[in-house]
Amino acid sequence: MPEDHSEITLDLSGLLCPLPVLRARKRLQSMAPGHVLKVIATDPMSAIDMPHFCSEQGHTLLEQASEGEALIFRIRRK
């Protein structure tokens, strides 16, 4: 399915909990509704924290994947 909205990548590699979620929240606040944020994180807790954050804030977690030590999240802003 083609996406009409731009995707912004936010590399948070090396940051530990709670910084990945806090930085993702800050970036999402400055984005237009419907736009997609791709987050790259290396903190293993992000696998739990990022889906919980999306659920609590009403954002849509489009994808959660891993590439080596990196965790990749694609989040559509509410």
Side-chain angles (χ1 to χ4, degrees):
M1 171 192 281
E3 190 59 51
D4 293 338
H5 302 291
S6 61
E7 181 173 283
I8 295 170
T9 300
L10 183 61
D11 188 348
L12 302 174
S13 300
L15 297 180
L16 299 176
C17 181
L19 290 177
V21 167
L22 294 176
R23 298 266 174 99
R25 176 189 301 167
K26 184 174 182 177
R27 187 64 183 103
L28 283 163
Q29 287 175 342
S30 69
M31 294 171 63
H35 282 216
V36 175
L37 178 65
K38 177 181 176 182
V39 177
I40 303 167
T42 53
D43 179 12
M45 287 302 296
S46 294
I48 297 168
D49 294 343
M50 208 62 72
H52 179 72
F53 160 73
C54 291
S55 175
E56 290 292 313
Q57 297 298 312
H59 302 302
T60 303
L61 182 61
L62 300 172
E63 179 183 13
Q64 179 174 345
S66 60
E67 293 178 12
E69 292 183 16
L71 299 169
I72 311 296
F73 304 93
R74 291 182 66 244
I75 303 166
R76 176 173 288 130
R77 189 187 187 291
K78 66 175 178 179

